Amino acid sequence: MTRRRPHPSIPIAALLLAGWAASPAHGEERFPPPEFESGYVFPVHADPAARAAAMQIVDIALLATALAMAAWLVFRRRSRSGVVLLGIACLAYFGFLRGGCVCAIGSIQNVALALADPGYAIPLAALAFFLLPLGTALFFGRAFCAAVCPQGAMQDLVLIRPLAVPGWLDHGLRLLAYAYLGMGVLLAATGSAFVICEYDPFVALFRMSGSAGMLALGAGFLVLGTVVGRPYCRWFCPYGALLGLAAFVSRRRVTITPDVCTQCRLCEEACPFGSIRRPPAPDAPRPDRAAGRRRLLALLLAAPILVAGGAWLGHRLGAPLSKLHPTMRLADHVRLDEAGLLPAPGDDVTAFRASGTPVETLYAQAVAIARRTARGGAWLGALLGLVVMVKLLALSLGFRTADYEAERVSCVACARCFAYCPQERLRRGVPPAPV
C-alpha cells in the first residue's frame, strides 16, 4: 500500500505579512532632503541610484510574466527546451542587464528590515520580488527556480557532466541554506548588514565588477557547477529554502510520467539534483515497526535538547554577530580612543566627537543592540535546532511510494526528467531516449 507524505501546515504565513510595508511607492527616501543656505552640496551616493517607479513596474510585470510562462512550460507543455530558452532570457535581463538587482534572494533582507523597523519603507519592487515567487510556489512548486532565477539559470547552463552526490552529504549540506537564511534575516532585522547581497557569488559576475574574492567565489561555483547540479541553489540559497517550504504544500507538483510509471529509472539517472524518490525494491524487507517506534521515541526525546542547544549556541553567537552593526563598531573605536589605544582617531570617531552626542548614549545604544542581537540569535538557534529535528524525523520515518516521483521540496522543475521518460516520449510520438 502506498503511504503518502502528510501535508502539515508550514509556518511561512508570517513572512507574507510584509505586505503592510508597501504603502510608500519607493522606500529609498522617505523625506525630502533639507535645504542649506550655506551652499552645501550633498555628496554623490556610492550605491546605485533608485530605480524609477515606472521601471520598477516593468520589472514586476516581467517577473510575473516569466513566472506564468515557467509554470505553463513545466506543467502544461512539459518542455525542457522551452524552460532552457526562458532561463536564457531571464538570465540576460534579470542577471546581466539588471545586474542581479533587484532579486528575490536579496529581497529577504528588505522584508526582514521592514518588519523589524517601522521607519523603513520597503521598495515596491523588493516586496513584489519576495512575494510573487513564493505565491507561485504555493500553486506550482518551484517554477521560479526552473527558469526565472538568473543565478539558477546560469548554473544550469554550465552543467556538463553531473556527478551523483551521496545522499547523506546532500541532506546535510541542504541544512546550510536554512542557517544562511536565519543569519541573513537576523542581521538585516537588526540593521547590521545585508550579507546575502554582499556575499552573493553571482552579482559580481553579472556586473563584471567587484572584489577579486567575490569574482573568484562566483567563478568557483560555476566551475563546481559543471559537475554538480546547481551547488549554490541546492545547499546555500536562502530563498530556495523558503521556496522549498512553500512547494511542500503546493497544489500541484512535478509528475514525471504522464500516465504509468514503467520503473525504467531513466528519470533518476537524468536528474542531476538527487530529487527523484525511488520506490522500494520488490524483494525489499518490510520495515521493522517496533524499531521504527523506538527510533521515533528517541528522536522526540532528543528534540528539546536540539532546540535548547541551538538556542544556547545562537545566543553565544549574538555577541560576535552584533559587531557587524555600525553603531557597535563606532562604540568600539570610541572606547579604544578613550583608552589611548589608537594612534590617531579615525574619521568616524572625529565625526562622533563633533556631533556632541554623549559617550554614555553611544554605549547605551551599543548595549541595546548587543542584547537584541543575542535574543535574535537565540531564536535563530532554536529554529535551526527544530529544522535539524524535522530533517532527522523525515529521514528516519521515510515513506513508501509505488512509482519514481519528484520530491516537492528539492525539485527545481527543470523538466529534464520529462525528456527521458519513455511514456512521455510515447505521448509526444518521439523515439525512446538513448540509455
Side-chain angles (χ1 to χ4, degrees), residues 315-393:
H315 187 273
R316 294 297 300 268
L317 290 176
L321 289 177
S322 66
K323 300 295 184 182
L324 298 174
H325 198 285
T327 301
M328 295 292 295
R329 293 197 298 268
L330 176 59
D332 286 341
H333 293 168
V334 171
R335 186 179 295 108
L336 292 174
D337 181 61
E338 287 188 328
L341 299 178
L342 291 179
D347 294 339
D348 56 345
V349 176
T350 303
F352 171 75
R353 301 289 190 193
S355 68
T357 303
V359 176
E360 292 75 12
T361 302
L362 175 64
Y363 290 163
Q365 293 174 350
V367 170
I369 292 171
R371 290 176 177 173
R372 186 167 65 248
T373 307
R375 287 195 301 267
W379 281 104
L380 167 61
L383 288 175
L384 291 180
L386 184 60
V387 169
V388 173
M389 181 64 200
V390 172
K391 189 71 171 179
L392 292 175
L393 282 174

Side-chain angles (χ1 to χ4, degrees), residues 117-303:
D117 183 5
Y120 172 74
I122 184 171
L124 177 61
L127 181 64
F129 271 68
F130 176 79
L131 292 177
L132 285 178
L134 275 177
T136 303
L138 290 173
F139 292 91
F140 302 104
R142 299 177 65 168
F144 174 76
C145 301
V148 184
C149 177
Q151 284 92 331
M154 175 177 277
Q155 294 173 84
D156 222 25
L157 291 175
V158 301
L159 183 59
I160 299 174
R161 192 178 183 85
L163 302 176
V165 179
W168 62 269
L169 180 60
D170 185 47
H171 286 293
L173 291 176
R174 288 183 188 273
L175 295 174
L176 295 176
Y178 295 96
Y180 194 19
L181 170 64
M183 183 173 295
V185 169
L186 174 63
L187 293 177
T190 56
S192 300
F194 273 24
V195 293
I196 296 177
C197 290
E198 186 176 354
Y199 297 104
D200 190 305
F202 299 101
V203 169
L205 298 178
F206 291 150
R207 300 177 182 177
M208 299 299 177
S209 63
S211 65
M214 292 310 301
L215 288 170
L217 180 61
F221 270 107
L222 291 183
V223 171
L224 180 62
T226 60
V227 293
V228 176
R230 297 195 185 194
Y232 180 79
C233 298
R234 292 168 69 179
W235 302 324
F236 297 100
C237 180
Y239 197 69
L242 289 179
L243 289 174
L245 296 177
F248 186 80
V249 295
S250 62
R251 293 188 59 183
R252 301 188 65 177
R253 65 177 180 85
V254 171
T255 55
I256 302 170
T257 177
D259 40 41
V260 179
C261 179
T262 60
Q263 311 284 317
C264 65
R265 296 188 60 183
L266 291 178
C267 58
E268 184 185 23
E269 297 295 332
C271 179
F273 312 116
S275 299
I276 306 298
R277 303 184 307 202
R278 66 169 64 182
D283 55 348
R286 296 184 64 83
D288 188 346
R289 294 187 177 183
R293 285 193 294 267
R294 290 193 297 270
R295 187 164 54 247
L296 175 61
L297 179 60
L299 289 175
L300 292 177
L301 292 176

Side-chain angles (χ1 to χ4, degrees), residues 23-65:
S23 52
H26 298 200
E28 283 80 0
E29 191 166 5
R30 292 175 62 91
F31 305 103
E35 296 181 1
F36 295 95
E37 297 180 357
S38 61
Y40 176 79
V41 178
F42 280 95
V44 179
H45 289 287
D47 297 329
R51 188 115 164 125
M55 294 309 299
Q56 290 191 51
I57 299 299
V58 170
D59 288 343
I60 295 171
L62 289 176
L63 173 65
T65 302

